[in-house]
């Protein structure tokens, strides 16, 4: 395994929906499992592993393996946590020239999901914002409604119901802050909180 990032879900669009805010963690157990799986299954490329972390013990249980880039794949966190830079170095034989991100803490708010789902969230004031400021066209596209909500039928229906842009975007992003668990981290359900490793 070239590199890996472990995160715990702080907030999600729904109880088992995509994360909107995550906490970067050491996640040694999750990373060890990812490395063992990659070796045993001879995996190549980007893979996202989803885990449930048991509340009382913090033991990670693998629940899903996805052969694709997941949300934190592009984060350049350095120190074996830069998936893109590690792949570049492996393929080119050159060290990555991109500097790692400097986070002021361990919270990452995904853009635009975190902004649209809960604009008053405390994590938006304190966490790192994953915003592509250097790509204005991408930034503009990401702030638009999802494709299904842009269709003529959806817009016509919304006009008849007198729905505002904020109401329409809230329909696509149903925010759920995960309640705190005994060890100070969010909990996705009674069995534990979700963790991911890439």
């Amino acid at each position: 395994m070239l590199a890996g990032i472990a995160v715990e879900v702080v907030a999600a669009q729904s109880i088992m929906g995509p994360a909107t805010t995550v906490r970067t963690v050491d996640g040694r157990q999750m990373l060890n499992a990812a490395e063992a799986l990659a070796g045993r299954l001879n995996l190549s490329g980007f893979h996202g592993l989803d885990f449930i972390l048991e509340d009382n013990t913090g033991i990670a249980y693998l629940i899903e393996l996805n052969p694709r880039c997941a949300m934190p794949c592009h984060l350049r966190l350095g120190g074996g946590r830069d998936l893109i830079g590690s792949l570049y170095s492996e393929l080119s034989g050159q060290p990555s020239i991109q500097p790692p991100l400097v986070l002021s803490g361990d919270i990452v708010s995904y853009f635009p999901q975190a902004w649209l789902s809960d604009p008053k969230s405390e994590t938006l004031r304190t966490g790192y914002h994953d915003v592509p400021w250097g790509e204005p066209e991408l930034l503009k596209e990401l702030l638009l409604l999802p494709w299904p909500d842009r269709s003529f039928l959806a817009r016509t229906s919304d006009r008849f119901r007198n729905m505002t842009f904020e109401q329409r975007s809230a329909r696509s992003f149903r925010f759920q802050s995960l309640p705190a668990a005994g060890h100070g981290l969010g909990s996705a359900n009674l069995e534990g909180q979700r963790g991911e490793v890439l």
Side-chain angles (χ1 to χ4, degrees):
M1 188 166 87
L2 295 177
I5 300 172
V7 298
E8 292 178 351
V9 176
V10 174
Q13 290 181 15
S14 63
I15 194 72
M16 295 307 286
T20 57
T21 304
V22 296
R23 176 179 288 112
T24 59
V25 295
D26 176 54
R28 186 53 31 210
Q29 187 182 21
M30 292 186 287
L31 291 167
N32 289 343
E35 190 161 13
L37 275 170
R40 177 77 174 154
L41 300 176
N42 198 26
L43 298 177
S44 178
F46 293 95
H47 291 78
L49 285 76
D50 291 348
F51 293 84
I52 291 287
L53 303 179
E54 190 173 51
D55 281 338
N56 296 333
T57 66
I59 294 173
Y61 295 95
L62 178 67
I63 59 171
E64 190 172 52
L65 168 64
N66 297 298
R68 59 175 165 76
C69 286
M71 295 291 278
C73 277
H74 67 284
L75 298 175
R76 305 182 79 106
L77 301 177
R81 299 186 313 157
D82 178 357
L83 280 66
I84 304 297
S86 296
L87 181 60
Y88 169 82
S89 295
E90 182 72 15
L91 295 175
S92 70
Q94 305 283 328
S96 175
I97 57 172
Q98 293 292 325
L101 290 173
V102 178
L103 304 179
S104 60
D106 56 359
I107 299 293
V108 176
S109 295
Y110 294 135
F111 180 82
Q113 295 87 347
W115 287 25
L116 295 174
S117 63
D118 187 13
K120 296 178 183 172
S121 169
E122 178 64 26
T123 59
L124 289 180
R125 288 188 287 282
T126 60
Y128 170 75
H129 296 255
D130 180 32
V131 181
W133 295 114
E135 300 287 338
E137 290 300 314
L138 176 60
L139 185 64
K140 180 181 173 184
E141 183 68 25
L142 290 172
L143 286 171
L144 294 174
L145 288 172
W147 280 107
D149 292 335
R150 294 189 215 176
S151 73
F152 176 75
L153 183 59
R155 288 179 293 148
T156 302
S157 172
D158 291 345
R159 288 198 207 294
F160 282 119
R161 289 184 280 172
N162 293 321
M163 291 182 73
T164 65
F165 176 82
E166 289 79 16
Q167 291 168 324
R168 292 191 337 244
S169 62
R171 179 177 63 209
S172 297
F173 294 96
R174 289 176 176 74
F175 173 76
Q176 180 157 355
S177 184
L178 303 179
H183 53 291
L185 303 172
S187 177
N189 59 30
L190 296 177
E191 297 167 9
Q193 74 185 43
R194 292 187 309 161
E196 295 179 345
V197 64
L198 306 158

